[in-house]
Amino acid sequence: MNDHVILRCEDVTVSFDGFKAVQGMNLELKKRGLRFLIGPNGAGKTTLLDAVCGKVKPSGGRIVFQDGIDLARRKEHQIAELGIGRKFQAPSIFPTLTVEENLELAMRQKRGVLATLRTRILSSERKLIRTRLEGIGLGGKGTLRAGGLSHGEKQWLEIGMMLMQEPSLLLLDEPAAGMTDRETDKTGELLQEIAQERAVVVVEHDMEFVRNFASIVTVMHEGRLLMEGTMDQVQADERVAEVYLGKRREATC
Amino acid sequence: MKVLQRASASRYGLATAYLLAAALLAAAPLFTSDFRLNLLAKFLAFAIAAVGLDLLWGYTGILSLGHGVFFGLGGYAMAMHLKLQASGGKLPDFMEWSGLSKLPWFWTLFQSFGMSVILGIAIPSLVALFLGYFTFRNRIRGVYFTILTQALVVISVTLITGQQAFTGGTNGITGYGELFGYSLAAPEMKIALYYVTAAVLVVVLLLSRFLVKSRFGKVLRAVRDGENRVRFLGYNPAKFQMAVFVLSAAFSGIAGMLFVLHVGIISPSMMGIVPSIEMVLWVAIGGRGTLIGAALGALLMNGAKSVFSETYPEIWLFFMGALFIVTTVFLPRGIVGLVADGWHRLRLLGRRRKGVPEHERSRYSAV
Ligand SMILES: Nc1ncnc2c1ncn2[C@@H]1O[C@H](COP(=O)(O)OP(=O)(O)OP(=O)(O)O)[C@@H](O)[C@H]1O
Ligand SMILES: [Mg+2]
């Protein structure tokens, strides 16, 4: 496989009881960079991410990670250990743990039963957690129960957890949903920054957000790749307009 | 800063409470009758099982209604050893009645006390490992897992009841009274056994506390909060679930062994559905998710049971059911939760009197 490619989806198909949510999807990601994945509701974006991180098993095609690792054969926790981080559409954190403990568990480390029994948190790790807390704007809130955070703060915490994992591929499903404009901008900047060291895929509906931060955009429709290009190319494209407008027309009548 | 002070103040309070409890435990033989001491020792054994169940249910969110089986397996291991001792090289009486002429091979394992203790821990652990392996790995959880634990109870009880020649059937195994040649009924022996049980409970509590505070314990709580999220962080939840299930089964096995030493009998009715559910009630009422709550729940509930069921045996079950409903609906964190909340409120009241500004107060109550 090409040195610069970290993930390649070849002809991936995912079906639910015969219904093909993703059919023959192709996607190639470089080692670094921010990729936006857009498409109307039900296009199969979430399902594609699910297939990559092992939540659903593709019924056809191949998903190849780094130098030829076939992800379809691995379990979720093994895929996570390979360095693929996932953020879900709804914020999912551990509400009864403190904010710090959430980050502590996410931190890159050995994750076996015995390893977790033996470790103590090092002062360097504590410092790392502190720094990360500041970075995600939860500076003074480390010892609070995570369940008590606001919706936006939970989103941030989850992004912080993903960063603690130090993944080489990061999959985010609508990370800015429910955030204020300022928070959204901050998220965008953070994503751009972290994408300098790793591959980041962001599913997003907010076109304003995509326009501000995207370099390459992948458009999905009905489980397939519709087109790929810069935001300008995408916006100028007839088919994309039709897919989005068509949806809108349906929705109004 | 204030938050810090508050935390350390309540830590001192807790430490004092623990020391007080330890002192009470140590001094109990001085001021209780033999009969009461024996009861208390039995309750302490129950508390050991309750702590294990709490690790599983309170911390990891896995409800087992089958821990009576693990308790019973430990109990049988000890009872088999005692029975062999009592029979003095001859065939145990119930085997003769059932027409056996030779000691079954697996009984010979229990001739040594050490081996019996090892098996009393190992057998429940292995049964738990077996069940856990096939359930957790296949992501069977929640109510489905709970139903399977009930099935385990039904199978075990049926098996033991049916194999009368090997297990003593419905009557269980009884009719022994000596350990290492000393009478189990002797007052000194009773006191010694009491102290052994209390010491085991303390060790179990300390070990559990270590586990709960460790990163392992945090993963357990994370599994309870969101098993899937744990998985996508790269942990294998099934391994953690199996580990805690096996551990809690082992604790129940230990409790069962001690129980037999105090009570002198083990029978299928002591490992059935009702005892299994009762164990869960101790934890629920004491306060799940707090180790001391589970232990206290076992002591209080059994204390209440021995008082009430002596005077009103017929309403005890109803009373227990009602208590369970009341705690689940009104006190989800049990007695310990109630006490903690009350304490917290008292402190808030005190602070209010000292005139803390409104915004500070609301922050405290939110914490
Ligand atoms: N578990 C499932 N079982 C059956 N059908 C499913 C399942 N998950 C998704 N689908 C279907 O697959 C299609 C694609 O869903 P998916 O969630 O991937 O879309 P999406 O592009 O993420 O949409 P949105 O933008 O609304 O999040 C939808 O039609 C959905 O109903
Ligand atoms: Mg989606």
Side-chain angles (χ1 to χ4, degrees):
Chain A
M1 186 190 265
N2 187 323
D3 271 355
H4 302 293
V5 174
I6 189 163
L7 182 85
R8 184 151 58 203
C9 299
E10 297 167 0
D11 227 6
V12 172
T13 300
V14 180
S15 53
F16 299 110
D17 303 322
F19 170 73
K20 287 185 173 143
V22 173
Q23 39 188 329
M25 178 69 188
N26 291 297
L27 183 72
E28 197 172 271
L29 293 176
K30 296 253 160 57
K31 275 215 168 93
R32 297 177 222 301
L34 184 56
R35 172 73 62 96
F36 277 84
L37 184 57
I38 66 170
N41 292 115
K45 306 178 295 287
T46 300
T47 309
L48 181 66
L49 297 195
D50 285 349
V52 174
C53 72
K55 191 159 179 256
V56 298
K57 292 283 162 230
S59 55
R62 262 159 50 93
I63 306 178
V64 185
F65 183 64
Q66 283 168 347
D67 1 276
I69 302 171
D70 184 2
L71 292 184
R73 297 163 178 278
R74 312 254 172 166
K75 296 227 171 76
E76 295 100 313
H77 66 96
Q78 293 167 329
I79 294 177
E81 274 299 84
L82 285 173
I84 299 184
R86 171 76 194 269
K87 188 193 166 309
F88 291 91
Q89 218 158 338
S92 64
I93 46 147
F94 305 118
T96 65
L97 299 186
T98 67
V99 172
E100 273 173 0
E101 286 170 338
N102 270 273
L103 293 179
E104 181 187 335
L105 290 190
M107 184 172 61
R108 194 182 184 111
Q109 61 187 294
K110 291 214 177 92
R111 299 186 197 271
V113 169
L114 290 179
T116 57
L117 277 172
R118 277 196 296 255
T119 51
R120 309 211 118 254
I121 189 157
L122 304 173
S123 64
S124 62
E125 294 172 337
R126 206 181 289 276
K127 225 153 104 197
L128 183 72
I129 290 175
R130 287 277 145 76
T131 321
R132 189 61 74 204
L133 275 174
E134 298 292 337
I136 55 175
L138 294 174
K141 305 198 165 165
T143 54
L144 299 188
R145 282 177 77 240
L149 297 178
S150 75
H151 182 82
E153 286 171 333
K154 283 181 189 158
Q155 297 268 49
W156 277 105
L157 175 56
E158 200 178 356
I159 292 174
M161 288 166 73
M162 313 228 29
L163 297 180
M164 295 298 289
Q165 270 180 277
E166 297 176 29
S168 40
L169 169 63
L170 196 46
L171 311 168
L172 300 107
D173 209 344
E174 305 191 28
M179 286 188 176
T180 63
D181 286 350
R182 241 194 64 226
E183 285 174 330
T184 306
D185 282 344
K186 211 173 130 201
T187 309
E189 281 158 26
L190 183 73
L191 290 179
Q192 270 187 335
E193 190 191 313
I194 60 181
Q196 295 182 349
E197 296 161 36
R198 53 177 67 81
V200 179
V201 180
V202 181
V203 170
E204 195 47 72
H205 278 294
D206 181 349
M207 285 307 148
E208 176 84 16
F209 183 63
V210 179
R211 200 171 304 121
N212 287 341
F213 296 101
S215 49
I216 304 183
V217 180
T218 299
V219 189
M220 278 184 82
H221 177 52
E222 291 177 348
R224 293 175 210 272
L225 176 67
L226 189 66
M227 77 161 296
E228 209 166 86
T230 64
M231 194 59 188
D232 287 336
Q233 288 170 328
V234 166
Q235 277 181 313
D237 193 274
E238 285 279 317
R239 292 166 303 165
V240 174
E242 193 178 310
V243 165
Y244 272 96
L245 286 177
K247 285 276 163 181
R248 219 158 280 156
R249 212 174 292 137
E250 270 169 38
T252 48
C253 62
Chain B
M1 271 323 282
K2 273 192 188 137
V3 176
L4 260 180
Q5 274 168 17
R6 210 182 52 143
S8 62
S10 71
R11 189 169 298 164
Y12 282 127
L14 261 179
T16 334
Y18 283 138
L19 279 180
L20 212 70
L24 264 176
L25 269 185
L30 300 177
F31 52 80
T32 43
S33 67
D34 283 356
F35 173 71
R36 296 265 168 227
L37 190 69
N38 186 231
L39 269 186
L40 183 58
K42 185 172 89 175
F43 300 166
L44 291 179
F46 287 150
I48 294 169
V51 170
L53 197 56
D54 192 27
L55 286 177
L56 183 69
W57 185 38
Y59 286 89
T60 323
I62 301 166
L63 176 58
S64 160
L65 289 179
H67 264 50
V69 169
F70 305 128
F71 182 87
L73 288 172
Y76 270 96
M78 182 56 75
M80 285 160 81
H81 173 71
L82 296 176
K83 189 73 187 173
L84 287 177
Q85 294 296 304
S87 312
K90 282 192 297 207
L91 210 54
D93 46 14
F94 67 86
M95 288 187 188
E96 260 174 54
W97 302 333
S98 325
L100 283 192
S101 55
K102 199 170 144 272
L103 196 66
W105 67 267
F106 63 90
W107 270 77
T108 57
L109 296 174
F110 293 89
Q111 255 144 5
S112 118
F113 177 77
M115 191 62 186
S116 305
V117 170
I118 291 172
L119 288 174
I121 299 173
I123 294 172
S125 303
L126 285 175
V127 172
L129 186 64
F130 180 79
L131 183 65
Y133 183 81
F134 286 104
T135 48
F136 299 132
R137 236 175 35 121
N138 292 315
R139 305 198 186 163
I140 295 171
R141 59 195 147 211
V143 70
Y144 301 100
F145 176 80
T146 306
I147 290 171
L148 282 175
T149 60
Q150 286 262 285
L152 177 70
V153 176
V154 174
I155 293 169
S156 312
V157 169
T158 313
L159 203 70
I160 291 178
T161 314
Q163 299 298 317
Q164 176 137 12
F166 302 109
T167 63
T170 324
N171 302 328
I173 301 180
T174 185
Y176 38 79
E178 284 185 358
L179 178 64
F180 306 133
Y182 297 101
S183 164
L184 284 169
E188 305 80 51
M189 190 62 166
K190 291 242 172 259
I191 292 179
L193 284 176
Y194 166 83
Y195 276 122
V196 168
T197 311
V200 173
L201 175 60
V202 169
V203 169
V204 160
L205 275 171
L206 289 176
L207 175 68
S208 303
R209 205 188 120 80
F210 165 76
L211 291 177
V212 164
K213 297 275 172 199
S214 73
R215 197 170 290 163
F216 172 79
K218 291 171 193 168
V219 178
L220 294 186
R221 284 187 287 145
V223 168
R224 178 189 66 189
D225 280 0
E227 190 183 322
N228 258 324
R229 192 75 192 88
V230 173
R231 194 168 277 133
F232 289 109
L233 285 182
Y235 298 93
N236 184 359
K239 292 231 167 104
F240 286 83
Q241 289 163 322
M242 272 187 253
V244 72
F245 189 44
V246 167
L247 187 73
S248 78
F251 284 1
S252 276
I254 294 171
M257 288 194 274
L258 291 164
F259 171 86
V260 164
L261 289 174
H262 300 308
V263 179
I265 180 172
I266 185 79
S267 77
S269 69
M270 293 162 184
M271 59 193 289
I273 296 219
V274 173
S276 298
I277 294 177
E278 261 185 86
M279 288 164 81
V280 171
L281 292 191
W282 306 334
V283 178
I285 288 165
R288 78 177 144 127
T290 59
L291 296 168
I292 210 73
L296 267 181
L299 297 183
L300 291 177
M301 286 298 289
N302 282 291
K305 182 181 180 177
S306 67
V307 171
F308 277 95
S309 61
E310 273 164 29
T311 25
Y312 317 100
E314 62 286 349
I315 62 165
W316 166 249
L317 266 180
F318 288 103
F319 174 72
M320 211 168 58
L323 203 58
F324 180 58
I325 294 171
V326 169
T327 35
T328 13
V329 175
F330 297 106
L331 302 173
R333 293 193 299 136
I335 295 171
V336 166
L338 183 74
V339 172
D341 285 351
W343 175 243
H344 188 62
R345 251 185 231 144
L346 264 178
R347 294 188 65 94
L348 276 182
L349 265 179
R351 193 165 289 125
R352 201 159 300 169
R353 266 197 224 108
K354 279 185 227 140
V356 170
E358 182 69 36
H359 67 275
E360 287 245 308
R361 239 184 276 150
S362 61
R363 221 187 70 207
Y364 282 122
S365 60
V367 171

